[in-house]
Amino acid sequence: MGGYGVMADDESLDYSVHEAWNEATNVYLLVILVSFALLMNKRKIMRIFSLPPSVDRPSEPSFYDSLQKVRLRQQLEMYSLARKCDQQQQQQSDSVQLSME
């Protein structure tokens, strides 16, 4: 009776299983090495596949720029409201001082 990995007729080792295993591990190692190289050179690869920068600015502003403008507008509105409140309080205090005299 032949055991595992031994041919029954001539008692020599069956190397087809070992060859297939070696080829599979070689393929897996190659895939791991290529994946690692791609991760290390991600910037270079992204630069290859990215669009070239255009000379003129796009017609629509970017989302970040529009957020900055909205925030700046809100800050200006709050500043103008605070100035109005300060002026009203100053006018009220002036009128109180005039009536006291």
Side-chain angles (χ1 to χ4, degrees), residues 85-99:
C85 287
D86 287 344
Q87 287 176 355
Q88 287 177 356
Q89 288 177 355
Q90 188 177 13
Q91 287 174 356
Q92 288 176 357
S93 65
D94 289 345
S95 65
V96 167
Q97 286 179 356
L98 287 176
S99 64

Side-chain angles (χ1 to χ4, degrees), residues 53-91:
S54 60
V55 176
D56 56 319
R57 297 284 296 171
S59 60
E60 61 184 40
S62 70
F63 180 72
Y64 182 72
D65 289 340
S66 62
L67 275 181
Q68 276 185 325
K69 289 179 182 177
V70 167
R71 183 68 181 143
L72 181 62
R73 188 179 311 123
Q74 289 174 346
Q75 288 175 344
L76 288 173
E77 288 175 359
M78 292 301 291
Y79 178 74
S80 66
L81 287 174
R83 293 284 298 188
K84 285 181 184 177
C85 287
D86 287 344
Q87 287 176 355
Q88 287 177 356
Q89 288 177 355
Q90 188 177 13
Q91 287 174 356

Side-chain angles (χ1 to χ4, degrees), residues 16-53:
S16 63
V17 173
H18 297 291
E19 290 173 4
W21 179 257
N22 285 337
E23 289 177 13
T25 54
N26 288 341
V27 169
Y28 288 133
L29 285 174
L30 183 65
V31 167
I32 289 170
L33 289 175
V34 168
S35 300
F36 186 70
L38 289 176
L39 285 175
M40 295 301 289
N41 295 325
K42 185 178 179 181
R43 290 183 191 145
K44 292 179 184 176
I45 293 170
M46 292 304 291
R47 193 175 1 166
I48 291 171
F49 291 110
S50 66
L51 294 173

